[in-house]
Amino acid sequence: SYHKFLDLFEERESLMGHKWLNGTKKIKKPPPLVLAWDTVEDVLSDKITENWKDFHKALQTCDPKCTGIISRNQLRKIVQIYCPSLSDEQFTKLCHTFQDISSDGILYRMLLKNLGVAVLPGDLTGISTQISKGSQQREEK
């Protein structure tokens, strides 16, 4: 019967203890920091790619001479718009490798390349040559 089963079960538990009390349940370890960082970079790359036109315009506004260097504060403001979940600590880690020692700015072209953001050759220096060749071919037709 049901009550007999409960009696047997409770009797066994009292002798052996419940598995949760004995610590037999495995606790999941948090993902390694490297894996977590890869996820941060992937999310940031996706957000930049999704909003490339506006992101690119913001970069051009802050770097009108197309030097490839932008101040940390300017880059932080731009990134904050498109990826507001990026913490200050994550942003600092992101910029650390791409800091230009002479100007104390961030080498954003190298940063974008490292993130895997596909930047066409002319995107950061003016009209892309691929676009201009395509439009020239259309005009000829």
Side-chain angles (χ1 to χ4, degrees):
S1 77
Y2 177 71
H3 291 288
K4 176 109 172 131
F5 172 77
L6 287 180
D7 289 340
L8 291 172
F9 183 73
E10 288 175 358
E11 186 178 304
R12 182 169 182 226
E13 271 190 358
S14 65
L15 294 173
M16 300 178 72
H18 195 274
K19 65 180 180 180
W20 293 338
L21 297 176
N22 290 333
T24 57
K25 184 177 179 182
K26 293 182 181 178
I27 299 172
K28 290 184 180 178
K29 293 181 182 177
L33 197 55
V34 174
L35 178 63
W37 181 248
D38 287 345
T39 304
V40 168
E41 288 182 332
D42 289 344
V43 169
L44 184 58
S45 176
D46 290 346
K47 293 292 184 182
I48 291 172
T49 303
E50 287 171 17
N51 300 289
W52 176 246
K53 271 184 149 177
D54 295 329
F55 193 87
H56 174 239
K57 283 180 188 177
L59 288 175
Q60 282 184 320
T61 302
C62 296
D63 184 23
K65 294 181 182 178
C66 298
T67 61
I69 300 171
I70 191 172
S71 79
R72 179 183 295 267
N73 289 337
Q74 289 173 325
L75 183 61
R76 180 66 175 141
K77 288 177 185 176
I78 294 170
V79 169
Q80 189 68 36
I81 293 168
Y82 301 104
C83 195
S85 61
L86 192 70
S87 71
D88 290 335
E89 183 180 324
Q90 291 167 332
F91 180 76
T92 301
K93 181 176 179 178
L94 183 72
C95 293
H96 178 72
T97 309
F98 303 100
Q99 188 156 351
D100 180 50
I101 298 168
S102 62
S103 68
D104 202 31
I106 305 300
L107 301 163
Y108 67 86
R109 288 182 188 173
M110 291 176 67
L111 173 71
L112 292 172
K113 184 178 180 181
N114 185 63
L115 289 173
V117 176
V119 180
L120 295 175
D123 278 354
L124 299 176
T125 57
I127 298 174
S128 172
T129 54
Q130 292 179 357
I131 294 171
S132 61
K133 284 180 185 176
S135 61
Q136 184 180 7
Q137 290 172 352
R138 281 194 300 271
E139 286 177 21
E140 289 174 0
K141 285 182 181 179

